[in-house]
């Protein structure tokens, strides 16, 4: 069997409120280049990826095309589309452009995705159809109530922190998002009520597949360096990774 066609949806529509800057976090510079550049370059250089779909904030499409995609020669970008109010809306916008095959969904604020992670994702989705990068938690995790009193301490050996890319068979993830955003007849009463109130209880693509289709999602190893740029401290850590040579400039 030959290689399956692979699309990479890179999400760059976040506002980055926790960064405390007027510039969105995906456009801040590390190593003299925008954070977004690094994930685009990783997918550009991968032999497994056939196209990149870039999802931007509203009004940022031309900036991304001129100052990132064309400036740095990211030739696999087949579409640049505007995202929506929430992350899941932005993913849906990207999925409309994705071809049949496998779809990688990746946060543009995670600059340290690499070829090893991309290949592990391909191997996993080939076997399971639905998977996500992650790593075993280094810390003990506590489940707390609304007043922050500890209710439960899960066994750390079964706790992973989830990353992106999250990789799916295209038809499967499109069906899951179609149910989330349009197919109320397939949803439970709790999900319908929350969706009507504007608060859909999903935080990543794996949850959409799990909750909308009841489909299990397999985790595969990402990397402890595959961090998401969220706070100013993360920018400092990213600079250290670059200087150590863990990501080429």
């Amino acid at each position: 069997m030959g290689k399956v066609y692979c699309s990479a949806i890179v999400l760059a529509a976040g506002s980055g409120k926790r960064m405390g800057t007027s510039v969105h976090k995906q456009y801040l510079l590390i190593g003299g280049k925008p954070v977004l550049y690094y994930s685009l370059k990783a997918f550009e250089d991968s032999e497994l990826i056939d196209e990149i779909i870039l999802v931007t904030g509203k009004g940022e499409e031309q900036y991304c095309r001129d100052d990132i995609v064309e400036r740095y020669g990211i030739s696999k970008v087949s579409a640049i589309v505007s995202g929506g109010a929430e992350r899941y809306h932005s993913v849906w916008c990207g999925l409309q452009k994705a071809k049949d095959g496998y779809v990688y969904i990746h946060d543009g604020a995670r600059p340290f995705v690499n070829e090893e992670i991309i290949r592990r994702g391909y191997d996993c989705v080939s076997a399971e159809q639905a998977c996500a990068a992650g790593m075993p938690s280094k810390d003990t995790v506590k489940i707390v109530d609304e007043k922050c009193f500890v209710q439960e301490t899960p066994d750390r050996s079964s706790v992973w922190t989830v990353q992106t890319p999250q990789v799916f068979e295209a038809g499967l993830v499109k069906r899951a998002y179609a149910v989330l955003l349009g197919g109320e007849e397939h949803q439970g009463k709790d999900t319908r009520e929350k969706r009507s109130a504007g608060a859909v209880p999903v935080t990543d693509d794996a949850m959409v597949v799990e909750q909308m289709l009841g489909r299990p999602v397999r985790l595969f190893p990402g990397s402890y360096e595959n961090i998401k740029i969220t706070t100013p401290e993360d920018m400092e850590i990213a600079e250290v990774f670059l200087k150590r040579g863990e990501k080429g400039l």
Side-chain angles (χ1 to χ4, degrees):
M1 179 178 176
K3 189 192 82 65
V4 175
Y5 191 93
C6 292
S7 304
I9 297 173
V10 179
L11 304 171
S15 60
K17 295 177 182 177
R18 283 175 285 180
M19 186 60 67
T21 67
S22 59
V23 178
H24 293 178
K25 59 190 177 183
Q26 59 269 20
Y27 305 135
L28 294 173
L29 301 182
I30 52 175
K33 295 183 177 70
V35 168
L36 177 59
Y37 157 81
Y38 294 95
S39 55
L40 291 175
K41 188 68 163 65
F43 289 118
E44 173 77 15
D45 290 346
S46 175
E47 294 181 355
L48 291 173
I49 302 301
D50 297 289
E51 68 169 351
I52 300 170
I53 299 158
L54 178 57
V55 184
T56 75
K58 291 188 182 301
E60 297 172 2
E61 301 94 325
Q62 196 62 47
Y63 166 79
C64 285
R65 184 179 303 280
D66 294 343
D67 286 31
I68 299 180
V69 173
E70 293 185 0
R71 179 177 181 182
Y72 295 109
I74 311 298
S75 62
K76 288 182 182 177
V77 172
S78 60
I80 301 176
V81 298
S82 176
E86 302 291 342
R87 183 186 186 278
Y88 52 85
H89 293 129
S90 295
V91 173
W92 180 243
C93 291
L95 286 172
Q96 303 312 295
K97 299 292 185 180
K99 296 180 174 65
D100 291 341
Y102 299 150
V103 179
Y104 287 69
I105 303 173
H106 185 67
D107 293 326
R110 288 189 187 270
F112 297 107
V113 62
N114 56 35
E115 180 66 9
E116 289 74 24
I117 296 172
I118 293 170
R119 287 191 174 276
R120 287 196 289 269
Y122 185 91
D123 292 340
C124 194
V125 76
S126 297
E128 307 293 344
Q129 292 191 301
C131 59
M135 292 297 288
S137 176
K138 295 180 180 181
D139 300 316
T140 296
V141 174
K142 301 285 187 181
I143 307 299
V144 301
D145 63 17
E146 65 277 3
K147 295 183 179 179
C148 290
F149 284 100
V150 174
Q151 299 297 295
E152 182 184 353
T153 303
D155 182 354
R156 193 172 68 183
S157 66
S158 66
V159 177
W160 282 46
T161 55
V162 179
Q163 305 173 348
T164 65
Q166 301 190 2
V167 195
F168 307 92
E169 190 276 322
L172 183 147
V173 71
K174 288 179 180 180
R175 286 198 306 275
Y177 269 91
V179 173
L180 175 70
L181 294 172
E184 294 194 21
E185 67 277 8
H186 299 295
Q187 299 175 5
K189 181 175 182 290
D190 182 61
T191 300
R192 288 199 302 271
E193 289 176 349
K194 289 181 178 179
R195 191 162 76 96
S196 64
V200 179
V202 294
T203 55
D204 72 348
D205 313 295
M207 283 187 70
V208 176
V209 170
E210 293 159 13
Q211 295 192 10
M212 299 302 109
L213 300 183
R215 181 67 180 261
V217 176
R218 179 78 176 267
L219 296 187
F220 64 89
S223 167
Y224 287 118
E225 285 78 35
N226 186 27
I227 62 171
K228 186 175 183 180
I229 304 297
T230 304
T231 66
E233 293 80 9
D234 297 329
M235 292 292 290
E236 296 177 15
I237 294 169
E239 291 283 1
V240 170
F241 287 167
L242 286 172
K243 290 175 182 176
R244 277 197 339 210
E246 294 185 14
K247 183 74 178 181
L249 291 175

